[in-house]
Amino acid sequence: MASGHILVVDDEPDIRSLVQDILQDEGYQVSVAENAAAAREVRRQIRPDAILLDIWMPGTDGISLLREWSERGSLSCPVIMISGHGTVETAVEATRLGAYDFVEKPLSLAKLLLTVERALEASRLKRENEGLKRQVPVPLEPVGSSRVMQSLRTQLERLAAHDTWLLLSGEAGSGKESLARWLHEKSARRSGPFITVASGSIARDHAAQTLFGSEETGAVQLGLLEQANGGTLYLDEVAELDAELQLRLSSTLERRALIRCGGREPVGLDVRVIAATAQDLDSLVAAGRFREELFYQLKVVPLAVPALRERVEDVPELLQYYADFFSNRDKLPYRIFPVSVQNRLRNYTWPGNQRELRNLVQRLLILGAAPEVDLAEVEQALSGSAPAARPVALRGEGFDIDYGLPLREAREQFERVYLLRQLQETGGSVGKLAKLVGMERTHLYRKLRDLGVDVKAGARED
């Protein structure tokens, strides 16, 4: 069966009734209007997926109404013009104003249905394309074979079959939005929009209009909540909403209807809500900084998204996954992450979580040239994006050899620790280090650079 809401605007009752019956038989929802004023009122209350608009109507004609919608920027769906005796000039003007197509009276029902179907498909593809342009493309799949990720994936797959609201909690960068998008794509709402509300970035002066839309002198501007109708609303960092917005949002979600700024009548809201936060909402509720009723509305099913340091066994899989992803998407050269690099990154604390790992892989693919990523460039990349690492092998400390490493990589690991300690012994003097370890200075500099030991800042040439 077809799906979508069609608005039929025609002053002839017989045509309105005929088209309504045909479209409803095909599975569409249909609203009708006999003139421009009635059409404005219907559009104030609902957001149609397509409009069938008669050109010749008493009072305001179809072309004038189309121009009104176009100039106000409220033409958010395809408009199919109906004409009994149109002219070339009329067709050109309607096309310039954004009309999708024409159907002529007397109506060919087969052509009408085909035109409506094509218009809805074109509109769907346009929304998907605009959505892709707005977002930074990231992989959607929950990647990782660790026990905690297997459990999370199982829960999400189970939830995809239901329309339950969800509260995702987890540190910044842990991949909450990607999981929400994946859940949306797995759900029955996949053909609907996925709208993100970035709570912390909404300008306070226009926050209400941004979320709830507005009505001024007949002009309707859709807010983010209404744009999500039929799909999923993702509330990113919901704790950043101020108290007034929390109250209004709670009322809207409770009634499943919103009132636009400047509006009087409620507008139905059909969305699945997925909220996310990196903060402790329980503590914020107890402190009176987050509304209790909104908290329990959102927390129908709470899910904790683990930090990357809590599932470090997934790091090798994530490295390969993102290397494949950026190679395919950005045409970057594919690079191998050897065991030594995997081991180093498994033991990194990942303060930026999965987002930091993704950015690290992208940087290494862009800047590196060798087929394999080496430890030196990884250390350099990490030092540029994280707090200074704890010095390795200080005086009096031992050195644990990883016997699972290949000989070459184990040797490189030992050489780095050995040279760092000897450099400390010489007070940072590369000249003294060269004599101590029995290496020619040029070769020593090359060796230190290859091992990722940066001595430029404090090295002395004596």
Side-chain angles (χ1 to χ4, degrees):
M1 293 289 286
S3 64
H5 199 136
I6 313 298
L7 170 59
V8 180
V9 186
D10 197 300
D11 64 316
E12 298 184 51
D14 290 345
I15 290 183
R16 286 201 309 273
S17 178
L18 173 64
V19 173
Q20 182 178 28
D21 290 344
I22 294 297
L23 292 174
Q24 287 177 339
D25 286 345
E26 291 296 315
Y28 295 107
Q29 290 181 270
V30 183
S31 296
V32 296
E34 68 275 13
N35 54 38
R40 293 188 191 101
E41 180 59 23
V42 172
R43 288 203 68 209
R44 192 196 66 77
Q45 298 179 30
I46 67 166
R47 185 187 182 191
D49 298 297
I51 300 174
L52 291 170
L53 177 60
D54 187 24
I55 291 181
W56 305 110
M57 297 186 296
T60 303
D61 61 84
I63 294 293
S64 298
L65 184 58
L66 178 63
R67 180 182 295 108
E68 173 188 314
W69 289 337
S70 178
E71 290 176 351
R72 288 179 172 177
S74 60
L75 193 62
S76 57
C77 67
V79 176
I80 301 167
M81 307 303 293
I82 302 175
S83 173
H85 42 85
T87 64
V88 173
E89 290 78 11
T90 302
V92 169
E93 177 67 3
T95 302
R96 185 184 67 81
L97 293 171
Y100 174 78
D101 205 346
F102 278 79
V103 290
E104 296 179 350
K105 296 179 180 178
L107 295 175
S108 164
L109 298 183
K111 181 179 179 181
L112 175 68
L113 291 175
L114 181 60
T115 304
V116 168
E117 182 181 343
R118 287 176 174 172
L120 291 173
E121 177 64 13
S123 178
R124 183 186 67 80
L125 292 174
K126 181 181 177 182
R127 286 198 308 269
E128 289 182 358
N129 187 48
E130 289 173 348
L132 289 172
K133 288 179 179 178
R134 282 196 301 266
Q135 71 182 66
V136 177
V138 294
L140 294 178
E141 295 85 353
V143 180
S145 303
S146 62
R147 182 176 300 177
V148 66
M149 282 305 294
Q150 289 182 25
S151 174
L152 182 61
R153 189 182 296 107
T154 299
Q155 293 179 75
L156 289 171
E157 288 174 343
R158 191 175 299 133
L159 288 168
H162 305 279
D163 224 17
T164 312
W165 292 4
L166 197 62
L167 177 62
L168 299 174
S169 60
E171 295 180 6
S174 55
K176 297 186 291 294
E177 183 171 354
S178 291
L179 293 175
R181 288 183 180 278
W182 185 77
L183 180 61
H184 171 76
E185 292 298 325
K186 289 282 186 178
S187 74
R189 293 179 176 267
R190 67 180 68 89
S191 60
F194 181 95
I195 300 296
T196 295
V197 176
S199 307
S201 64
I202 298 177
R204 186 175 295 273
D205 293 343
H206 305 287
Q209 292 91 332
T210 300
L211 284 177
F212 301 98
S214 63
E215 288 184 38
E216 295 180 5
T217 61
V220 173
Q221 295 293 331
L222 301 182
L224 293 174
L225 294 173
E226 202 169 347
Q227 290 176 36
N229 250 334
T232 299
L233 179 73
Y234 177 69
L235 294 171
D236 187 25
E237 199 43 76
V238 66
E240 298 294 333
L241 292 173
D242 64 34
E244 182 181 348
L245 287 178
Q246 289 179 31
L247 175 60
R248 188 164 180 172
L249 179 61
S250 175
S251 175
T252 296
L253 297 181
E254 177 68 26
R255 294 181 301 169
R256 303 289 179 114
L258 62 85
I259 298 179
R260 304 185 188 106
C261 297
R264 301 180 307 277
E265 299 296 326
V267 178
L269 194 63
D270 172 28
V271 297
R272 180 182 197 167
V273 179
I274 302 179
T277 183
Q279 303 186 45
D280 184 351
L281 286 188
D282 291 273
S283 299
L284 294 179
V285 170
R289 293 166 51 198
F290 194 83
R291 297 195 69 88
E292 184 175 22
E293 61 268 34
L294 179 58
F295 173 63
Y296 287 112
Q297 284 172 319
L298 299 175
K299 195 180 178 181
V300 177
V301 176
L303 279 183
V305 180
L308 186 52
R309 65 178 176 276
E310 297 171 355
R311 56 184 188 102
V312 291
E313 59 267 45
D314 291 332
V315 166
E317 191 174 345
L318 284 165
L319 292 172
Q320 182 175 341
Y321 188 90
Y322 283 114
D324 287 332
F325 173 73
F326 288 118
S327 295
N328 293 326
R329 192 196 71 173
D330 298 341
K331 308 306 178 186
L332 295 175
Y334 180 82
R335 304 187 69 195
I336 296 172
F337 288 78
V339 174
S340 59
V341 170
Q342 294 179 28
N343 185 61
R344 170 68 180 96
L345 296 177
R346 276 171 58 100
N347 289 284
Y348 179 59
T349 55
W350 297 109
N353 288 296
Q354 188 168 322
R355 181 191 297 136
E356 183 182 5
L357 183 145
R358 184 187 71 217
N359 293 344
L360 175 71
V361 172
Q362 187 177 25
R363 187 184 316 138
L364 292 171
L365 265 58
I366 291 172
L367 298 178
E372 282 195 3
V373 177
D374 62 41
L375 278 171
E377 56 183 322
V378 169
E379 295 294 348
Q380 184 177 8
L382 293 178
S383 65
S385 60
R390 175 175 173 267
V392 181
L394 296 173
R395 177 184 289 274
E397 293 184 327
F399 172 62
D400 295 327
I401 297 175
D402 184 355
Y403 290 97
L405 294 177
L407 176 61
R408 179 178 61 82
E409 293 170 5
R411 184 175 63 244
E412 289 177 352
Q413 193 178 77
F414 168 77
E415 287 177 343
R416 184 173 185 276
V417 175
Y418 170 79
L419 290 173
L420 276 171
R421 178 168 180 176
Q422 299 291 51
L423 190 61
Q424 291 174 353
E425 292 288 338
T426 62
S429 169
V430 179
K432 290 181 179 178
L433 177 63
K435 293 178 182 178
L436 182 64
V437 301
M439 290 183 67
E440 197 273 332
R441 187 176 299 185
T442 302
H443 293 162
L444 177 60
Y445 267 115
R446 185 180 299 115
K447 171 64 72 174
L448 292 172
R449 184 178 64 250
D450 292 342
L451 293 173
V453 179
D454 186 7
V455 296
K456 292 181 180 179
R460 303 197 308 273
E461 289 292 328
D462 54 294

